[in-house]
Amino acid sequence: MRLVVLVSGRGSNLRSIAQAIDEGRCAATLAAVVSDKADAPALEFARERGIPTDVVPFRKGDDRAAWNERLADTMASHSPELVVLAGFMRILGPNVIDRFAGRIVNVHPALLPSFPGHDGPAQAVRAGVRLSGCTVHLVDHGVDTGPILAQGAVPVLPTDDAASLHARIQTVEHVLFPRVIDWIA
Ligand code: GRF
């Protein structure tokens, strides 16, 4: 199953998917890694591995619809069977969602439907919940509202801040996300 992975940042989920593929735990191939940020460390990792990369930058004042169209064309040029959002920090426009309908998965650092949107871990700490985790879901037109495929839970400790909770959540993401991609494959 050909994956196009969208990233904006560190790329620890991209690494965990690549490792799972290498170890035969995820029946997929990394067709391309696409970013909105030219300096995303995730791109560096992809280049080191010889995975094709593309950057579709969004600049202040850019036309949103045109950027979405450029992004969708770039994604389509790699013929993805599944689009993987792995720390992609921009909301995809309706034209992108429709073009890859039912074939986009995201990992969110909270137990949806609680704490959607920006900074799930900080929201969980503020709310004082004792359990949080990650959600792998299909992407629809809302923000973190698509059908839930799998969740993994972690405790929230009294000493946690957003960063320490996020780090604990990511250890679960790194196991769950490649597993769900393998299920889909
Ligand atoms: C992950 O925690 C994911 O839940 C959220 O963005 C983060 C990306 O981290 N959507 P990384 O770039 O994969 O390390």
Side-chain angles (χ1 to χ4, degrees), residues 31-117:
V33 174
V34 178
S35 182
D36 60 324
K37 298 248 185 294
D39 58 355
L43 283 176
E44 200 57 47
F45 169 76
R47 290 194 196 102
E48 279 165 18
R49 283 189 56 114
I51 302 164
T53 60
D54 275 310
V55 180
V56 185
F58 187 93
R59 299 192 187 87
K60 231 182 150 104
D62 259 3
D63 177 68
R64 198 165 286 277
W67 175 80
N68 270 284
E69 212 54 55
R70 284 206 306 280
L71 179 69
D73 287 343
T74 303
M75 289 155 65
S77 73
H78 299 288
S79 310
E81 292 174 286
L82 186 71
V83 174
V84 177
L85 305 187
F88 191 65
M89 297 313 284
R90 305 203 71 87
I91 292 169
L92 297 177
N95 52 338
V96 184
I97 309 281
D98 290 344
R99 205 150 146 190
F100 302 96
R103 290 187 290 135
I104 310 176
V105 289
N106 181 44
V107 62
H108 180 75
L111 294 176
L112 294 172
S114 292
F115 315 133

Side-chain angles (χ1 to χ4, degrees), residues 108-121 123-124 127 129 131-132 144:
H108 180 75
L111 294 176
L112 294 172
S114 292
F115 315 133
H118 182 64
D119 220 351
Q123 293 183 58
V129 293
L131 280 176
S132 189
D144 302 322

Side-chain angles (χ1 to χ4, degrees), residues 7-14 42 85-89 106-110 134 166 169-170 173-174:
V7 297
S8 300
R10 229 155 43 97
S12 69
N13 279 285
L14 171 66
L85 305 187
F88 191 65
M89 297 313 284
N106 181 44
V107 62
H108 180 75
C134 66
H166 197 177
I169 290 170
Q170 284 215 304
E173 293 183 346
H174 297 160

